[in-house]
Amino acid sequence: SNLDLFYQKLGNHELGATASDLVGNSASQTVDFRIIATPDSTISDINRAFQLGWIAKANIKNQLINRIKLAVRVDKRIETIEQRLRDGSRIQKRVQKVEQRLDKVLARSILNDLKRQKGKGINDQAYDLLTEDINWLINN
């Protein structure tokens, strides 16, 4: 069966399962796994939070999704520039530094949007969930 990880915190987790048959044979297995955030999963979380009523207005949802998509587009453009540069060049290293700064600026801007909407158009659950996602994207 599938596990719904929407309500779980990001990071490392452990899942254990035990089964037994009618004659008393049993087995158990434990699996370690890691939940991460990606731009796509963050957009999915925004949509789900909206469906749950955690985000009150469609325009807030759309604004957040558009901000994530903008960050992804900027990232892809920078990657294209990097591919055109020869490996190890000083320009390539400068482009990578600019990319890191831009990623953080865009992500922090989204965090500021979340703070402004907290308690107004976004409830505490959505704020906590999306803040965790954005912080994951900044730090990983």
Side-chain angles (χ1 to χ4, degrees):
S1 67
N2 294 324
L3 293 175
D4 183 359
L5 301 177
F6 176 76
Y7 297 99
Q8 301 300 315
K9 293 283 185 194
L10 299 176
N12 296 321
H13 295 270
E14 180 179 277
L15 175 67
T18 303
S20 58
D21 61 19
L22 296 174
V23 293
N25 298 315
S26 65
S28 59
Q29 179 74 40
T30 303
V31 176
D32 294 323
F33 65 97
R34 184 176 180 196
I35 302 173
I36 64 168
T38 65
D40 287 339
S41 72
T42 303
I43 289 170
S44 177
D45 286 349
I46 292 167
N47 283 319
R48 181 120 179 235
F50 179 72
Q51 290 172 347
L52 291 169
W54 294 1
I55 298 174
K57 298 177 182 175
N59 67 329
I60 295 170
K61 172 193 75 125
N62 294 334
Q63 183 180 39
L64 289 169
I65 289 171
N66 289 336
R67 298 292 298 276
I68 302 273
K69 288 180 177 180
L70 171 65
V72 169
R73 281 194 310 272
V74 168
D75 237 14
K76 286 182 181 180
R77 286 185 182 156
I78 291 173
E79 284 177 21
T80 301
I81 292 168
E82 285 179 328
Q83 289 173 357
R84 292 181 182 163
L85 299 172
R86 57 187 164 97
D87 288 337
S89 73
R90 286 174 43 194
I91 295 171
Q92 185 181 35
K93 290 176 185 173
R94 291 181 79 186
V95 167
Q96 288 172 345
K97 286 181 182 179
V98 168
E99 176 184 22
Q100 290 170 348
R101 279 191 230 129
L102 269 174
D103 286 347
K104 288 188 180 191
V105 166
L106 290 170
R108 287 191 180 112
S109 174
I110 295 168
L111 288 173
N112 287 334
D113 286 348
L114 289 171
K115 283 180 188 175
R116 279 192 296 278
Q117 292 295 334
K118 184 179 179 188
K120 299 173 189 169
I122 297 175
N123 72 10
D124 289 344
Q125 292 97 327
Y127 175 81
D128 292 344
L129 173 76
L130 298 175
T131 299
E132 183 181 24
D133 283 0
I134 300 301
N135 281 321
W136 182 273
L137 294 173
I138 290 172
N139 296 315
N140 296 287

